[in-house]
Amino acid sequence: MPLGGKPEGEKHIPHWCGNILWVIVGGLCKLLFRYRVEGREHIRALHGKTGCLVMGNHASYADVVFFYLAPRLAQWMRLMGRDSLFETGGGLGGQILSRVGAFPVKRDTADRTSVKRAVSMLKRGEMVGIYPEGTRRGKGSQAPELHAGGAFIARMGKAPIVPATVRNSEKIKCKGERFHFPKVTVVFGEPVEVSEFDFLPKDDRLDGCTWFVIRECYALNRGCAPEDVDMRELFPEGKDFTEAFRGVTIHRGAKALREDA
């Protein structure tokens, strides 16, 4: 079911559950983590004009919470989550997650149903959130690697990609330590269009787009220039596009907004 956007003749997800959780969880996060949002104007500029895919680096389970809180009240972010989360509590977890707009994806598979859902959401003008690293960095046994599914969804949905990050979320709970309460900041960067990467060889366009956006995410997280992020260190097994982007200008801002200007 739609949640926001501009669908006609369709019944929307009721807002009561999402609003209640936003008030409770948002209040606690404000109190405990003094969380704030930077760059919110980048997603507000897209509101009512186009859907967008928010792509972020993944350091903590808390990232999901802060990503959900940050666009409200004007916008909702529909987060893609692994299907096992929707089975918790005998299905109660799935009910809650679905009512706040999340939807499941089967990890490590070509889940066409989830892809079609996400594309439809973007075409309806909704906001979809995704973590292309596939797992939390520094947590668990699986090494993060970049997956180009998000860029594919953005291309099919004809929507821009917004890089985003949550600063200090990894400090909330470190393995073997008690909970900490650092100051948390959600940062949204300027949107980019998938078509900006058409200068790359066809087989590299989606991977190159994902690589570029995630580099932007880490730059936002560290407060540095994207060129100062060492992607070879972050993804030693992945393809490096540093030379491919050297001297190339990637325009920021959604194409529709640039044309309006």
Side-chain angles (χ1 to χ4, degrees):
M1 294 171 64
L3 180 67
K6 294 183 177 180
E8 296 180 2
E10 294 186 58
K11 186 177 180 182
H12 283 237
I13 294 174
H15 288 183
W16 64 266
C17 182
N19 287 336
I20 290 173
L21 287 175
W22 182 80
V23 170
I24 296 173
V25 178
L28 287 173
C29 287
K30 276 288 186 184
L31 177 66
L32 298 175
F33 304 106
R34 290 97 64 208
Y35 100 92
R36 63 190 182 93
V37 182
E38 294 180 0
R40 192 187 269 128
E41 66 273 11
H42 298 311
I43 58 172
R44 290 289 189 262
L46 305 175
H47 186 43
K49 298 181 177 68
T50 178
C52 68
L53 184 111
V54 177
M55 192 178 286
N57 61 300
H58 200 11
S60 166
Y61 282 130
D63 294 336
V64 177
V65 176
F66 290 106
F67 264 31
Y68 172 71
L69 295 173
R72 299 293 321 278
L73 288 166
Q75 293 163 279
W76 298 79
M77 189 184 301
R78 306 200 63 166
L79 289 159
M80 182 184 288
R82 69 172 186 267
D83 55 347
S84 60
L85 294 174
F86 289 76
E87 300 168 1
T88 57
L92 178 61
Q95 281 290 325
I96 295 173
L97 290 171
S98 297
R99 288 181 182 276
V100 299
F103 62 103
V105 61
K106 296 178 181 177
R107 288 178 61 174
D108 303 320
T109 64
D111 191 342
R112 295 183 179 181
T113 299
S114 295
V115 169
K116 289 179 179 178
R117 284 177 178 169
V119 170
S120 296
M121 291 169 188
L122 293 178
K123 289 183 176 180
R124 290 196 299 250
E126 298 186 68
M127 179 189 299
V128 176
I130 191 170
Y131 298 104
E133 290 176 285
T135 188
R136 294 165 296 148
R137 178 167 293 275
K139 307 291 176 66
S141 57
Q142 186 176 350
E145 57 180 323
L146 292 179
H147 302 275
F152 174 76
I153 290 169
R155 181 182 286 278
M156 295 300 293
K158 296 179 172 57
I161 301 175
V162 177
T165 192
V166 182
R167 291 178 184 159
N168 293 329
S169 63
E170 74 281 0
K171 298 178 182 178
I172 294 175
K173 182 65 173 74
C174 299
K175 188 174 181 180
E177 297 182 13
R178 60 180 178 82
F179 277 93
H180 298 275
F181 301 96
K183 186 175 182 179
V184 172
T185 305
V186 182
V187 188
F188 293 104
E190 294 185 86
V192 295
E193 297 278 354
V194 182
S195 59
E196 287 288 316
F197 303 90
D198 286 350
F199 71 92
L200 293 170
K202 188 174 182 180
D203 291 343
D204 286 339
R205 289 172 187 170
L206 296 179
D207 289 326
C209 173
T210 304
W211 185 95
F212 179 90
V213 174
I214 286 297
R215 187 178 69 165
E216 297 271 313
C217 294
Y218 276 100
L220 292 172
N221 186 274
R222 299 173 179 181
C224 66
E227 294 75 19
D228 293 335
V229 177
D230 188 348
M231 292 290 282
R232 283 166 289 204
E233 178 185 354
L234 292 171
F235 303 98
E237 302 299 322
K239 183 171 182 176
D240 183 66
F241 287 88
T242 301
E243 292 303 318
F245 286 107
R246 195 179 301 279
V248 175
T249 299
I250 301 296
H251 296 97
R252 271 75 165 182
K255 184 179 179 181
L257 299 180
R258 294 201 304 272
E259 290 176 349
D260 288 344

